[in-house]
Amino acid sequence: MGYQLKMRVWRGDQSGGDLGDYTVEVSEGEVVLDAIHRLQATQVGDLAVRWNCKAGKCGSCSAEINGRPRLLCMTRLSDYDPSETITVTPMRTFPVIRDLVTDVSFNYEKAKELPSFAPPPRDADGKRRMAQIDVERGQEFRKCIECFLCQNTCHVVRDHDENKPAFAGPRFFLRYAELDMHPLDTHDRRELAQGAAGLGMCNITKCCTEVCPEGIKITDNAIIPMKERVVDKRYDPLVWLGNKIGLRNKDYDGRD
């Protein structure tokens, strides 16, 4: 059964913009992205919105719905009362290109700063081996679809644009943790995470975990363990002794 949905959608570009009021017909079982597409097709053909798979796996259609960072394709209209006005705005943390499309290149620049996986030489039989428990530990981290909702909601950069040069954000703390926990990786990224990536600026409010569409426990399973690893390297006497005798005492580019 269809009904008339009241929407407020942000229209504008880098120079500014405002919310426009619209009423669009929607049907039972649809998501917010369906309403946006129908709005495009019937009223505002020049409305800009980024999307791709419409299945919650590409991370393209990130926006803010009634002030909450969400995927447009995974937000059901049935979650809202039919009489409620749904407000759709672009992600606030990133510069607007046009309408609901934002420039997320900040995240790609941060990805370039992170040293890639560096395994040791293969075993004599040409293979590499690791325990199953280590395989399973990293599976959660690899569920990330890079929607950047966690980056958008993190108040360190959401409310303080000046922090961006010194702060990588939760998506990349997740990657730092994944690589640091990998038993076959030879780089030590702990100092890099604490220094250039700004791990210490995170005060673990768990807002990133709350908005993750994949349900990844970013704070509990990545950020906090990574903070603990940084502290261990600096203050744990056994780790200090190991570093003194040359155990994992190399920086990220492999130099002593």
Side-chain angles (χ1 to χ4, degrees), residues 190 229 231-249:
R190 289 174 291 181
R229 285 167 179 259
V231 171
D232 283 346
K233 180 175 182 179
R234 292 188 174 189
Y235 302 110
D236 187 293
L238 294 179
V239 174
W240 177 85
L241 181 61
N243 287 338
K244 281 295 185 181
I245 61 177
L247 297 178
R248 204 180 184 191
N249 192 31

Side-chain angles (χ1 to χ4, degrees), residues 206-254:
K206 297 191 178 183
C207 54
C208 52
T209 300
E210 292 176 1
V211 301
C212 178
E214 287 293 322
I216 303 171
K217 292 182 171 56
I218 303 171
T219 309
D220 291 341
N221 293 347
I223 295 178
I224 291 176
M226 199 63 198
K227 283 176 173 282
E228 292 172 343
R229 285 167 179 259
V230 170
V231 171
D232 283 346
K233 180 175 182 179
R234 292 188 174 189
Y235 302 110
D236 187 293
L238 294 179
V239 174
W240 177 85
L241 181 61
N243 287 338
K244 281 295 185 181
I245 61 177
L247 297 178
R248 204 180 184 191
N249 192 31
K250 297 178 182 292
D251 63 17
Y252 69 90
D253 65 0

